[in-house]
Structures are given as structure tokens and as C-alpha cells.
């Protein structure tokens, strides 16, 4: 089955890239085009094994940065539906088809949709909620300090200071779940709704780019959904590997908080201090 979807994959040539491409082309579903966006400085091989596939296209850019690379791919895509896909996110083509079916069946085409994320190693949902007493204490703290909703009502929401909470499929009553943000690893868009200006003001690892991207989508009146009928497998979310990286993460989080509130609330600084303490004591 031929699908009118352009898949945009941003990468720096990670080993998993080839596995991801083969996963997409070895299927009953044929995607109109699969665009691989790689900075020139990471051009280590010619990927000869993919030259026979007319729908697989490699683009080498003079710049790097996940957001800029993705926007470049968006601008060079031809189809009405665009799937943004991170190199390390593996999704079965049938699940992409499910995303497509859900998106075209949503009456409002000012919409974007994403799958549920699972840990590739454990096969459990990445965003998991439980009813233990420790989780209840955490809920109380995030409610007071971060201004979050309580318990499972946090699913898919963003707190008053900009913290985000994922979706646990166990608690999804319906197939579609409206959310306030979407993880950037895998999102299906209508092309007309794409954000084509660089919205990420930092260099290096793109911390919080999915939150900032979701903010601009929602600011453009795009409704965001997660469907439990589609699954995406990846490793656990990337965590800062050093105090310097942690500082970059918190700078990005602070920028996002300012976007939301036009100022940084006191709760953010309390959360930031606790984050530093938690990071240091975990080492």
C-alpha cells in the first residue's frame, strides 16, 4: 500500500540509522519518500545499499542541529503528510499507517498526532504511573512546587512552571488522547501546519525542543493527540551526562518557562535547585 507520507529523519549517522531505514522499507507499506538529513561533517559512508530505493533520499547539510536539520527536511518534503522521526525511534510501518488513519479521521485538520512510547529494552511504557505511597508523595510535591495536575490527570500536560508529563496507555480510556505536548521523536503532521522557522535558540543537544515545538504548534492553533493504537520504541529519554549538560538542560527549560508565562515563577527556581541536588546525590 502506497502512503502519501514524507518521513523526515534527522541524524548524525548513528549506527541505528540503517536499522531504522530497513525497518521502513521492508514492509507492505510504501512511503512516498524517506528523507535522511545528515550534516556534512558526519558524512562517514555513502550508504550504497540504499541507492536502489528510489524513495530513500539523503541530504547533507552545511549546518548541524536537530531542529535546523528537521526544518530543512520539512522544506524539501513533497507530500501532504509529514512524519518527523528521530534516528533512534523505531516504529513499525503498520503503526505509521495507524497514525495516518487517525489523523485523516480527525475532523479538524489543524491537528498532529504521535504514538505511545515504549522502552525498547523492557517493552514497558516509558511514561508510567503507579499508585505507590512514594508516587503519591511525588504527586503532592509536583502539585505544590510545579503547579502540576494530580496523579494520572497530569498525563500529557505541562505544569505551570513548564514541566511535562507523558501518557501511560494503561490509563487511556479512548484510542485518542488530547495532550498539551508531544515528544519530538515521532509526530505525524499535515504539511500545511509545519513550523518552518528555527524556534530553538541554543546550540548542542536540543534539550526541551519538543516542548518548545509543541508550544509553537499550539500557538498556531494546532491540536495535539496521542493514540494508543501506535507504538514507538526507543531507549529511555536522554539524561544530562555532566553538570555542564545539566546546566544546558535547565537553561532550555527556563527559556520554555518564559515562553509559557512571560516570566519565571518562584516554583521553577525551587524545582531547579532540587534538580541540581538530585543530580549531585545520584552520582
Amino acid at each position: 500500500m502506497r502512503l502519501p507520507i514524507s518521513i523526515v529523519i534527522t541524524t548524525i549517522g548513528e549506527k541505528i540509522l540503517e536499522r531504522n531505514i530497513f525497518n521502513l522499507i521492508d514492509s507492505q507499506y510504501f512511503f512516498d519518500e524517506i528523507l535522511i538529513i545528515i550534516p556534512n561533517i558526519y558524512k562517514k559512508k555513502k550508504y550504497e545499499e540504499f541507492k536502489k530505493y528510489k524513495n530513500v533520499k539523503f541530504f547533507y547539510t552545511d549546518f548541524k542541529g536537530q531542529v535546523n536539520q528537521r526544518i530543512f527536511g520539512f522544506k524539501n518534503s513533497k507530500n501532504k503528510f509529514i512524519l518527523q522521526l528521530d534516528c533512534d525511534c523505531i516504529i513499525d510501518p503498520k503503526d505509521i499507517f495507524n497514525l495516518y488513519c487517525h489523523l485523516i479521521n480527525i475532523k479538524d485538520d489543524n491537528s498532529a498526532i504521535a504514538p505511545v512510547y515504549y522502552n525498547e529494552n523492557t517493552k514497558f511504557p516509558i511514561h508510567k504511573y503507579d499508585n505507590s505511597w512514594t508516587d503519591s508523595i511525588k504527586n503532592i510535591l509536583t502539585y505544590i512546587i510545579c503547579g502540576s495536575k494530580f496523579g494520572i490527570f497530569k498525563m500529557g500536560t505541562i505544569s505551570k512552571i513548564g514541566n511535562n508529563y507523558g501518557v501511560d496507555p494503561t490509563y487511556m480510556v479512548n484510542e485518542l488522547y488530547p495532550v498539551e505536548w508531544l515528544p519530538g521523536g515521532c509526530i505525524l503532521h499535515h504539511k500545511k501546519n509545519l513550523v518552518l522557522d528555527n524556534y530553538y535558540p541554543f546550540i548542542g543537544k536540543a534539550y526541551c525542543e519538543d516542548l518548545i515545538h509543541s508550544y509553537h504548534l499550539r500557538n498556531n492553533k494546532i491540536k495535539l493527540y496521542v493514540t494508543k493504537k501506535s507504538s514507538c520504541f526507543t531507549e529511555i529519554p536522554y539524561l544530562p551526562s555532566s553538570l555542564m549538560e545539566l546546566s544546558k538542560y535547565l537553561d532550555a527549560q527556563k527559556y520554555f518557562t518564559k515562553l509559557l508565562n512571560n516570566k519565571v515563577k518562584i516554583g521553577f527556581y525551587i524545582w531547579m535547585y532540587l534538580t541540581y541536588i538530585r543530580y549531585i546525590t545520584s552520582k
Side-chain angles (χ1 to χ4, degrees):
M1 177 184 293
R2 189 182 190 103
L3 296 176
I5 297 174
S6 297
I7 300 177
V8 175
I9 301 177
T10 56
T11 180
I12 54 173
E14 297 95 331
K15 289 183 179 180
I16 198 173
L17 173 63
E18 292 169 71
R19 175 189 164 195
N20 205 336
I21 299 173
F22 277 121
N23 173 64
L24 296 171
I25 59 181
D26 186 18
S27 164
Q28 62 175 308
Y29 300 100
F30 181 86
F31 302 103
D32 264 0
E33 56 180 4
I34 301 170
L35 287 66
I36 318 298
I37 318 300
I38 310 177
N40 268 320
I41 59 173
Y42 296 109
K43 187 177 180 180
K44 299 175 182 177
K45 56 187 300 185
K46 297 181 179 179
Y47 299 102
E48 298 289 341
E49 65 268 40
F50 298 115
K51 287 192 173 180
K52 63 181 179 181
Y53 299 101
K54 301 299 182 182
N55 62 329
V56 179
K57 306 173 182 178
F58 285 81
F59 291 86
Y60 297 95
T61 63
D62 294 329
F63 53 84
K64 62 179 180 178
Q66 186 182 48
V67 174
N68 261 332
Q69 288 173 239
R70 185 183 295 148
I71 290 172
F72 179 90
F74 286 167
K75 290 180 177 179
N76 283 276
S77 301
K78 67 180 183 182
N79 286 286
K80 292 183 178 180
F81 298 93
I82 313 293
L83 182 77
Q84 68 176 66
L85 186 64
D86 282 359
C87 179
D88 58 353
C89 289
I90 305 297
I91 180 169
D92 190 290
K94 184 178 180 180
D95 286 321
I96 298 176
F97 175 69
N98 289 338
L99 287 176
Y100 170 72
C101 290
H102 274 301
L103 190 60
I104 62 177
N105 285 329
I106 295 172
K107 292 181 180 179
D108 186 356
D109 64 1
N110 290 321
S111 304
I113 193 168
V116 171
Y117 286 79
Y118 291 83
N119 185 316
E120 187 174 21
N121 297 319
T122 66
K123 310 306 179 190
F124 291 132
I126 285 179
H127 304 107
K128 194 74 178 162
Y129 291 89
D130 62 54
N131 296 316
S132 66
W133 67 271
T134 54
D135 197 60
S136 296
I137 292 174
K138 186 186 297 183
N139 276 320
I140 293 170
L141 290 174
T142 57
Y143 178 80
I144 295 172
I145 297 172
C146 304
S148 70
K149 295 184 178 179
F150 198 83
I152 62 170
F153 297 104
K154 289 191 296 189
M155 290 205 320
T157 67
I158 296 171
S159 76
K160 291 180 180 178
I161 67 166
N163 300 115
N164 57 302
Y165 305 95
V167 173
D168 183 344
T170 307
Y171 296 96
M172 291 178 66
V173 176
N174 300 314
E175 291 183 3
L176 278 182
Y177 193 88
V179 295
E180 296 177 352
W181 72 285
L182 292 175
C186 181
I187 304 175
L188 184 63
H189 303 269
H190 291 273
K191 184 175 183 178
K192 71 182 186 67
N193 298 334
L194 294 173
V195 178
L196 298 178
D197 295 319
N198 184 13
Y199 51 84
Y200 194 74
F202 304 100
I203 59 173
K205 173 71 179 176
Y207 294 111
C208 303
E209 72 83 14
D210 45 5
L211 298 180
I212 300 169
H213 186 204
S214 296
Y215 168 83
H216 288 293
L217 287 171
R218 294 182 70 213
N219 206 40
N220 291 338
K221 309 302 180 185
I222 308 303
K223 297 182 176 72
L224 310 179
Y225 297 91
V226 166
T227 173
K228 64 179 178 181
K229 287 296 184 179
S230 292
S231 305
C232 183
F233 293 85
T234 187
E235 296 181 354
I236 59 173
Y238 179 88
L239 299 174
S241 58
S242 66
L243 276 175
M244 181 178 292
E245 288 298 306
L246 178 63
S247 180
K248 291 179 180 179
Y249 160 69
L250 292 173
D251 283 344
Q253 189 74 50
K254 185 176 181 180
Y255 172 82
F256 174 61
T257 301
K258 285 183 178 179
L259 279 180
L260 284 180
N261 305 308
N262 294 319
K263 62 180 181 178
V264 181
K265 298 187 175 184
I266 186 65
F268 175 84
Y269 291 107
I270 296 173
W271 169 82
M272 182 175 69
Y273 174 76
L274 293 174
T275 300
Y276 268 117
I277 296 300
R278 188 167 67 247
Y279 180 86
I280 293 170
T281 56
S282 68
K283 294 297 181 181

